[in-house]
Amino acid sequence: MPVSDSTRSYKLDRTVVLVGLMGAGKSTVGRRLAEAIGTGFIDSDDEIEAAAGMSIPEIFDTFGEQYFRDGENRVISRLLDGAPAVLATGGGAFMAEANRAAIAAHGVSVWINADLETLWERVQGKPGRPLLQRDDAQQVLADLVAKRYPVYALADITVDSHHGQPHEKVVKSIIAALLENGVLTQNEGQS
Ligand code: S3P
């Protein structure tokens, strides 16, 4: 069941930026989190595709990864200038120092930390992720875990999504952490 909490109303101070590897559940969790706290949801991959008028695999094929990364940086910086929302980013976005700095200045970063087995279960055989369209995709994912997790660990908040933990639980953990650090407040008169 989706998390829905129509009896409560919340105020979000800054944009919640979800980071983590492909298959961590950033988009699904992000959409449900936004719904639960009554705010907007944006997916940076969707925004890049809309701005380019092409799918991510087409962007990689036609212009290469660096072109995609440049677009990703521009889109993230533009979105962070907007009203507070929940923003799901692509798995590589938080690796760029400039993005981490922009997120630290305008948002709060949340790493959805999932184990390799869970990630692989969710991404294997699915098209749409150019980095994994190869025979050794599982090894590529394992290498990305080794390379990226120390950087994702710099996020303001970490929530675990291990062993296929339901997305609802992850949403609840994020809400609890946001309330605790004051980025999210519950409107007075509500319990
Ligand atoms: C990427 C992750 C993808 C997408 C692109 C590159 C990455 O997004 O941005 O294929 O470098 O990890 P998801 O993490 O939403 O799959």
Side-chain angles (χ1 to χ4, degrees):
M1 270 209 4
V3 175
S4 109
D5 200 347
S6 54
T7 57
R8 298 177 197 209
S9 89
Y10 295 97
K11 183 179 171 296
L12 182 64
D13 231 30
R14 16 177 66 204
T15 289
V16 179
V17 183
L18 302 181
V19 308
L21 212 45
M22 296 172 272
K26 297 168 301 237
S27 301
T28 309
V29 165
R31 212 167 272 117
R32 294 182 189 184
L33 171 65
E35 193 187 324
I37 64 176
T39 192
F41 170 75
I42 316 163
D43 188 308
S44 70
D45 283 344
D46 291 348
E47 294 286 322
I48 296 163
E49 290 186 326
M54 284 184 191
S55 69
I56 289 174
E58 283 168 346
I59 299 171
F60 270 70
D61 271 0
T62 314
F63 300 112
E65 180 171 352
Q66 191 52 51
Y67 182 91
F68 169 80
R69 297 295 171 201
D70 293 344
E72 182 170 56
N73 300 352
R74 278 196 303 275
V75 158
I76 287 174
S77 128
R78 166 171 64 77
L79 295 173
L80 284 167
D81 272 345
V86 175
L87 170 61
T89 59
F94 202 63
M95 298 304 293
E97 218 272 317
N99 287 340
R100 291 199 299 279
I103 294 165
H106 301 284
V108 58
S109 47
V110 179
W111 173 28
I112 304 179
N113 178 12
D115 54 278
L116 180 59
E117 203 187 336
T118 300
L119 297 172
W120 180 242
E121 262 172 32
R122 292 184 186 145
V123 300
Q124 67 175 312
K126 290 197 186 145
R129 293 184 169 107
L131 299 182
L132 300 180
Q133 300 313 301
R134 22 189 302 170
D135 292 340
D136 60 346
Q138 195 168 6
Q139 186 56 49
V140 169
L141 200 59
D143 292 346
L144 288 173
V145 166
K147 186 173 165 197
R148 291 181 176 178
Y149 277 24
V151 178
Y152 293 155
L154 300 171
D156 300 311
I157 292 168
T158 296
V159 290
D160 285 335
S161 175
H162 291 307
H163 306 297
Q165 202 178 8
H167 290 315
E168 283 75 18
K169 268 196 159 180
V170 180
V171 170
K172 282 187 177 158
S173 304
I174 297 174
I175 291 176
L178 294 173
L179 286 168
E180 198 181 323
N181 77 6
V183 172
L184 185 68
T185 44
Q186 221 164 298
N187 287 337
E188 274 178 43
Q190 317 260 342
S191 59

